[in-house]
Amino acid sequence: MKKKIIALNTTIMLGLGAFALPAVNAESLDDIKKERSDVKSDLSKAEKELAAVLTELNGLEEKIAKVDQAVADNEKIVKETEKEIEDAKAKIKKLEEEIKVIQERIDKRSEILKERAVAIQNSGGSNVNYIEVLLGSTSFSDFVDRVGAISKIVDADEELLIQHDKDKKEVEEKKATVDKELTTLNEKMTDLEGMREQLKEQEAQNDKLKAELKEKEEVAAEKKSKLQAKDVDLAAMQAEIESSMARQAPVEASVTNNESTSTSTNTTNSNSSSKSKSSAKASSAPASTTVGSGMQAVISAGNKYIGNSVYVFGGGRSASDIAAGRFDCSGFVHWAFAQGGYSVGASTDALKNQGTPVPASQMQPGDMVFFNTYKTDGHVGIYIGGGKFIGSQSSTGVAIADMSSGYWAKAFNGRVNRIN
């Protein structure tokens, strides 16, 4: 459009002669300056957009690094748990072998006892008891022999039974302990496997977001490049006209420059005035309120971690994890309640049995809410009102989520506990 204006001005100049040239050039110069001003404004916006995208990308890179570290940590825990499970299985197998050996020993002793009992019966009758055997002795020497034999058998019986009961009790206790340990480890394995799947989803979401931001970066950079090229063209046109005006009408050029200077000054003054107003407006903004105590502190404690935290199984139970924003769902709830002065458990199994159960229709801010994810009561959060809860989610870290619709509405199992 502006090139057409310049071409038109050139035609007019040829028709009117040199006397009309300065005025025509001045008009074209004003048009170009206005267009350059618009281009520079758009360029400034494009640069800000690009800077914002780059800042967002940097933040995302940091978050992805945290997620990668969380995945690595959880993989390590999974491998350790798998090793513990294998050790427990080996221990059980060993105990079963020990039980088999003991049982074989008991069976052999039982055979020996039977043989001894038969021998006594043969020497004293087929249906005699120990007393009858003793009374049936034919001589004192025979009596002594029989007393010794019976004493040994009785002692052997008693020792065998004691040893049998002792071994059996010990093996049963050990096996019960290992079975309990194996059950716990299997439950932990289920938790970890579920979390690994959740973290894979988180990585996929982060990769998608990174691709979208990368596209934004390319669009913003292309926009900036085009605006810069356009500004260069306009600057060249402006310089050419100004040079022509300087040669042909120095006085007019001087007036134009003065007007330009005045316009620049006014713009500067206007900008200064705007900045002053903006500064005054910013300074008059109300200061942020301090988080209160009690339940309000519980509800708002996690706000500082929104957007800069990551879900880590077992996280939130050490000072380093808390400082780095590394929480799992129950670890976050445990920490948040501690900020309000409440002591609650640090696992979903502990939390679901704490406080007073209330109907879902009567839940209020500060209540614990439970969800069925990879298992029953697999997730817990803190209700904040308006159908929303705050918690550490696998795909977002600490975040506010809507439980009135979508995934969380379906996962909510109706369990609500109130801590008084």
Side-chain angles (χ1 to χ4, degrees), residues 245-315:
M245 290 174 65
R247 292 194 305 271
Q248 299 184 35
V251 175
E252 188 67 21
S254 177
V255 172
T256 301
N257 287 336
N258 288 337
E259 290 177 352
S260 178
T261 302
S262 176
T263 301
S264 177
T265 301
N266 290 337
T267 301
T268 302
N269 291 337
S270 176
N271 289 340
S272 298
S273 176
S274 297
K275 289 179 180 179
S276 298
K277 292 179 181 178
S278 177
S279 177
K281 184 177 181 181
S283 63
S284 64
S288 59
T289 57
T290 303
V291 175
S293 60
M295 196 55 68
Q296 182 55 42
V298 174
I299 296 169
S300 58
N303 290 343
K304 66 180 181 179
Y305 286 114
I306 295 176
N308 62 348
S309 57
V310 66
Y311 184 97
V312 179
F313 186 80

Side-chain angles (χ1 to χ4, degrees), residues 92 174-184:
I92 290 176
K174 287 182 179 180
K175 187 173 182 179
T177 300
V178 175
D179 285 343
K180 183 179 179 181
E181 181 182 353
L182 184 58
T183 299
T184 301

Side-chain angles (χ1 to χ4, degrees), residues 337-394:
F337 271 93
Q339 307 316 297
Y342 300 90
S343 178
V344 298
S347 68
T348 54
D349 285 340
L351 292 171
K352 71 181 183 182
N353 295 314
Q354 287 190 284
T356 304
V358 298
S361 60
Q362 298 178 19
M363 63 182 171
Q364 63 187 32
D367 290 345
M368 292 187 296
V369 288
F370 294 80
F371 305 85
N372 293 344
T373 51
Y374 63 95
K375 69 174 185 177
T376 302
D377 296 318
H379 189 71
V380 62
I382 302 170
Y383 186 65
I384 62 174
K388 301 183 187 310
F389 75 95
I390 186 170
S392 181
Q393 279 70 260
S394 60

